Amino acid sequence: MIQQDSIAQAGISEYSGDSAYTPRPVLTPKMVLSWLPRNATPAQQDSAIQAHFKASEIRWSQRPDTLHLPGHDKGRNLLDVQLPQYYREGFFSKDTLFHPELPGGRYGVAGDPVPYSMHNDSIITILLLLFFVMASIAISNARGFIARQTKSFLYPTNNDSSEFTETASEVRFQTFLAFLTCMMVSLIAYFYTINAYGTTNILSSPYYLIAIYAFMTAGYYLLKIILYTVVNITFFDGKRNKQWIKSFLFVVSLEGVLLFPAVILQTYFGLSLQNVVLFFFFVLAIVKLLTIYKCFIIFFRRNVVQLQIILYFCTLEIIPLLAFWGALEITAESLKINF
């Protein structure tokens, strides 16, 4: 028989014989709160916690700072006014991770920005939608005026005089269509500019370039009206000049209406710029043919002088158009950023 350990047996018999011994549980805040009734207020809960738990004294570490390079002195306090400036400044002195009070910014590699496109531009979309709604309302309210204008333009009377006078609303309608023409021409010029010269220019927003082109187009049409008025008053009577101004406004309004579908197709349906330019020249050819026709009917129907018609048309139509196109090219070239 192997003799058992008497010390282990004594310990077992000592603890096993005392049946009343139980280990004392560790007091926790949860246990203290469980002694309180369920409807105890927060103040009562706080008083119970403070009665059973006492805050001990905080003892800060007195060990020396060893977070420095071996062989060097311990670090100095940056709040010390006698600290040299070269000690304050370092590689990480302005880093946001070293100074939590500074804005952190964005970390990582920036992705490629989304290129600008007209169909994603909310302002251009609102502008085109507004033009479409206003043009639809104006055309629906001025159908009789449009029919009379078309009849007067295509079928002139024998006395070369206007058969009707426009009302205030009809004048506003023609003014709106002329403004629509300026905007359509400026948008097409903008399409050509970003395709030929790129999107980088000295302007901070593409809307500025569109506005510049719109003002230039309006100035071009106003200059043509002034030139026509001066020449027609010199060689013809005032009645023919008034009739010509009405016909000119009708042709300009028709040009804006014809160019509107091309702008919509290029902006939202990806129509190629080449097709837009071809359509623009097609509309321009129609406008010039109508201008020649109306110029002949009003001024040269009685005295047919072919050379005079050619000179009149070249001086007041071709030369201002070439000058306007050159002004657009110079403007685009001046605003381009040359790297």
Side-chain angles (χ1 to χ4, degrees):
M1 298 294 292
I2 299 176
Q3 184 178 0
Q4 296 181 356
D5 190 358
S6 60
I7 298 176
Q9 291 294 329
I12 294 174
S13 61
E14 179 181 356
Y15 285 103
S16 60
D18 190 5
S19 59
Y21 173 79
T22 56
R24 183 178 180 181
V26 179
L27 187 63
T28 61
K30 180 180 179 182
M31 185 181 300
V32 174
L33 294 178
S34 64
W35 298 340
L36 300 177
R38 293 185 177 180
N39 56 353
T41 61
Q44 295 174 347
Q45 295 176 359
D46 183 66
S47 300
I49 293 296
Q50 292 183 7
H52 291 83
F53 297 95
K54 302 298 181 180
S56 61
E57 181 182 359
I58 300 177
R59 296 181 180 179
W60 303 101
S61 176
Q62 301 298 328
R63 294 184 179 182
D65 185 13
T66 58
L67 297 178
H68 55 269
L69 294 177
H72 293 264
D73 296 335
K74 64 178 181 179
R76 301 183 183 181
N77 188 8
L78 296 179
L79 299 179
D80 187 4
V81 295
Q82 298 180 355
L83 194 66
Q85 186 66 22
Y86 65 85
Y87 196 93
R88 298 174 183 272
E89 296 181 355
F91 184 78
F92 299 102
S93 59
K94 296 182 179 180
D95 192 359
T96 55
L97 297 179
F98 189 72
H99 294 279
E101 68 276 6
L102 298 178
R106 181 178 297 175
Y107 292 92
V109 180
D112 296 332
V114 179
Y116 173 79
S117 59
M118 295 288 289
H119 64 273
N120 292 330
D121 196 327
S122 58
I123 295 181
I124 297 297
T125 302
I126 293 174
L127 191 64
L128 293 177
L129 183 61
L130 183 63
F131 284 156
F132 177 76
V133 173
M134 293 181 65
S136 301
I137 295 174
I139 291 175
S140 63
N141 294 331
R143 288 176 295 181
F145 171 73
I146 297 174
R148 285 186 280 115
Q149 280 275 22
T150 306
K151 182 179 179 181
S152 176
F153 189 90
L154 298 178
Y155 304 100
T157 57
N158 295 328
N159 56 0
D160 295 338
S161 61
S162 180
E163 297 180 354
F164 60 92
T165 57
E166 295 86 354
T167 61
S169 61
E170 292 171 348
V171 171
R172 289 194 297 268
F173 169 69
Q174 277 194 326
T175 305
F176 167 73
L177 290 183
F179 175 72
L180 178 65
T181 302
C182 295
M183 291 302 302
M184 295 301 106
V185 174
S186 64
L187 288 175
I188 292 177
Y190 175 73
F191 295 155
Y192 175 79
T193 301
I194 62 178
N195 184 268
Y197 298 96
T199 57
T200 56
N201 50 60
I202 63 176
L203 300 176
S204 59
S205 175
Y207 311 127
Y208 295 152
L209 184 59
I210 296 174
I212 290 173
Y213 285 160
F215 280 112
M216 293 179 64
T217 307
Y220 163 71
Y221 287 120
L222 289 177
L223 179 62
K224 286 185 63 176
I225 291 176
I226 294 173
L227 292 177
Y228 273 120
T229 303
V230 172
V231 173
N232 293 338
I233 290 178
T234 304
F235 296 100
F236 306 101
D237 55 1
K239 183 182 295 185
R240 293 185 181 182
N241 184 33
K242 184 178 179 181
Q243 186 179 2
W244 168 252
I245 293 299
K246 292 181 179 180
S247 302
F248 179 76
L249 289 177
F250 177 78
V251 171
V252 172
S253 303
L254 179 64
E255 184 178 2
V257 173
L258 294 178
L259 291 178
F260 188 77
V263 174
I264 294 295
L265 291 176
Q266 207 284 332
T267 304
Y268 299 106
F269 297 96
L271 185 65
S272 62
L273 183 63
Q274 182 179 1
N275 294 332
V276 173
V277 173
L278 291 176
F279 184 78
F280 173 76
F281 282 110
F282 175 72
V283 173
L284 187 63
I286 293 177
V287 169
K288 297 306 177 184
L289 289 176
L290 292 176
T291 304
I292 294 175
Y293 166 74
K294 199 61 181 178
C295 179
F296 172 78
I297 293 298
I298 296 177
F299 300 114
F300 305 105
R301 183 172 59 175
R302 296 179 180 178
N303 300 323
V304 180
V305 181
Q306 296 181 357
L307 180 60
Q308 187 176 2
I309 297 175
I310 295 175
L311 293 177
Y312 188 86
F313 182 76
C314 291
T315 304
L316 299 179
E317 286 292 336
I318 302 300
I319 294 179
L321 180 61
L322 295 178
F324 173 65
W325 183 261
L328 293 178
E329 290 282 352
I330 293 174
T331 302
E333 186 68 29
S334 301
L335 297 177
K336 183 183 68 172
I337 298 178
N338 297 317
F339 294 98

